Amino acid sequence: MKSGAKRPAFSLEIEKMDKDEKILLASVEDKAKRCEQKNIPASTRFLDMHEQSLAEGVVNRFACRHVFWGGFDDAERKILVFLPDYLESVPEDALCAVHITSRGAAKLTHRDYLGSALGCGIKREQIGDILVENDGTYAIVIPDIADFLCSNLIKIGREHVSCEAVSLSDLSIAPAEPASELHVSVSSLRLDKMVAEAFKVSRTDASGAVLSGRVFVNGKEILKPDFILSPFDKITFRGKGKAKLNGTEGVSKKGKTRVVILKY
């Protein structure tokens, strides 16, 4: 590159990334090239929402189509699948689920299930979302580890459990019910303002959370506190929960927009 030439913006962003992030992007590029060169589907490990946002910065360099897929609608952790021309959708065997049922009466949490799975020697990147449902718990996993998990996960804490590998079509996921409904009046739909209202934090803390990459809108990492939301956008605040702008109710006498927020 000639002296004084302007480098691409994304190249400058890569220079600011840490070692793990650079390794991730190299892996994403490797999977894309594998798909293009061998004309076969190729997929990454599970990515969290921050990693998905990083991957978005490189996938459009390649001709093959790509899909982020977590096994079900609204999944947070997803694999990135590159598809050859002859495939219209993600192969059914790209992911599977392990159905975990407890034999005791103790109420186990997401942390209990995840900690015990990792204690078996499984890496976090091999496990997607863990769904605690009425008929047991479903862990979305890379198919290669399903049998290993079923054979080795026999206790969670003091509770004995049984595991069975099932296809994604066998998932029984109840729709998430909002914990509360908020009605607020705001001067604008700025992201930091709505985060403050939905999660009951100060405007300063909300802005800091956005700038530090802890806030996602519709699954995308947003780093601008003044980003303007649209009705029905979904907000994820890492460590705090989820919220959805469930529409507006007109304008108040003071000219503020009345917004309905569903908190999950």
Side-chain angles (χ1 to χ4, degrees):
M1 183 176 292
K2 294 181 180 180
S3 177
K6 187 175 181 180
R7 286 178 291 179
F10 192 72
S11 174
L12 296 175
E13 291 177 7
I14 290 180
E15 292 180 4
K16 299 178 182 178
M17 295 178 184
D18 62 29
K19 180 180 178 181
D20 290 339
E21 291 172 336
K22 291 178 180 178
I23 291 174
L24 166 65
L25 294 188
S27 174
V28 168
E29 291 187 352
D30 179 66
K31 299 298 184 183
K33 291 176 181 177
R34 177 179 173 83
C35 177
E36 287 187 340
Q37 295 169 2
K38 298 189 175 183
N39 201 35
I40 59 174
S43 58
T44 67
R45 60 176 177 78
F46 277 104
L47 309 176
D48 61 29
M49 289 190 291
H50 170 66
E51 292 170 329
Q52 291 167 40
S53 295
L54 291 177
E56 282 280 14
V58 298
V59 292
N60 292 326
R61 300 180 187 178
F62 301 94
C64 53
R65 292 178 298 117
H66 68 277
V67 178
F68 287 97
W69 176 235
F72 64 98
D73 293 340
D74 295 328
E76 287 191 9
R77 294 177 60 80
K78 301 175 182 179
I79 60 173
L80 172 56
V81 186
F82 291 97
L83 300 172
D85 292 339
Y86 61 85
L87 285 180
E88 294 295 328
S89 59
V90 177
E92 291 185 5
D93 60 356
L95 294 174
C96 71
V98 172
H99 186 205
I100 308 168
T101 53
S102 172
R103 303 174 188 175
K107 188 174 182 178
L108 300 174
T109 66
H110 180 283
R111 179 176 294 181
D112 295 325
Y113 288 103
L114 178 59
S116 295
L118 297 180
C120 293
I122 292 173
K123 297 179 180 179
R124 184 65 180 101
E125 64 191 40
Q126 297 173 304
I127 306 175
D129 286 12
I130 297 176
L131 307 167
V132 182
E133 300 290 327
N134 292 330
D135 66 337
T137 294
Y138 295 91
I140 313 299
V141 301
I142 301 294
D144 291 348
I145 67 154
D147 289 342
F148 177 85
L149 184 61
C150 290
S151 298
N152 290 274
L153 185 60
I154 57 177
K155 288 186 70 175
I156 297 180
R158 297 182 178 179
E159 295 293 318
H160 288 274
V161 298
S162 59
C163 300
E164 178 187 10
V166 299
S167 68
L168 296 180
S169 61
D170 294 327
L171 287 180
S172 177
I173 304 174
E177 294 292 336
S180 60
E181 181 176 295
L182 307 175
H183 296 257
V184 299
S185 295
V186 294
S187 56
S188 75
L189 298 183
R190 279 180 56 122
L191 179 56
D192 57 353
K193 176 62 176 176
M194 300 312 301
V195 168
E197 293 284 359
F199 299 97
K200 303 303 180 184
V201 298
S202 70
R203 184 75 170 271
T204 300
D205 287 345
S207 181
V210 174
L211 291 170
S212 65
R214 295 176 59 200
V215 177
F216 302 81
V217 177
N218 301 326
K220 306 295 183 184
E221 185 178 64
I222 304 295
L223 299 173
K224 296 181 179 180
D226 61 353
F227 177 84
I228 301 299
L229 296 168
S230 299
F232 307 108
D233 277 349
K234 297 178 181 178
I235 305 170
T236 301
F237 187 173
R238 185 179 293 170
K240 294 288 187 179
K242 300 179 181 179
K244 177 182 178 182
L245 273 63
N246 204 41
T248 58
E249 299 178 314
V251 179
S252 69
K253 293 181 179 179
K254 295 183 178 181
K256 293 188 175 183
T257 301
R258 293 193 291 265
V259 182
V260 180
I261 301 174
L262 299 181
K263 177 73 182 303
Y264 294 88

